[in-house]
Amino acid sequence: MFNLFHRSDEPAIICVVREDARLPRFLRGPNWEYEGKAGTLTGATAALDMDAEARMSKQTGFYLFTRL
C-alpha cells in the first residue's frame, strides 16, 4: 500500500511513500497535500517506474515523479 501526496502549487508532482515508511519532514509543510492511498500504482500514477520507486524508497524513504 502507498500514500500519495502532490504539490499544492504543482499537482503533477507526486510523492509516493510506502505505507510502512516514515513520512519525510517536507511533506508536513504547507506545499504538499495528501492525495490518498493506492494499493497498486496504475491509472493516474502510471508514469511511476516501479523499479525506480523500489530503489529510491529503500534509499530515501520516498519517491518523487511527475504525473503525465
Side-chain angles (χ1 to χ4, degrees):
M1 187 70 76
F2 300 92
N3 289 305
L4 305 174
F5 300 83
H6 66 262
R7 291 271 313 185
S8 56
D9 61 340
E10 193 68 42
I13 298 174
I14 307 296
C15 182
V16 176
V17 181
R18 289 178 180 250
E19 189 173 52
D20 60 350
R22 175 181 271 176
L23 285 181
R25 184 176 291 166
F26 69 86
L27 289 177
R28 297 184 188 119
N31 297 325
W32 290 89
E33 295 179 8
Y34 179 69
E35 189 165 303
K37 291 189 180 293
T40 59
L41 298 172
T42 59
T45 57
L48 179 67
D49 177 337
M50 290 304 292
D51 290 333
E53 184 279 328
R55 287 191 307 274
M56 291 307 298
S57 289
K58 188 174 183 178
Q59 291 178 7
T60 65
F62 63 91
Y63 178 65
L64 293 172
F65 75 100
T66 302
R67 181 179 2 226
L68 299 176

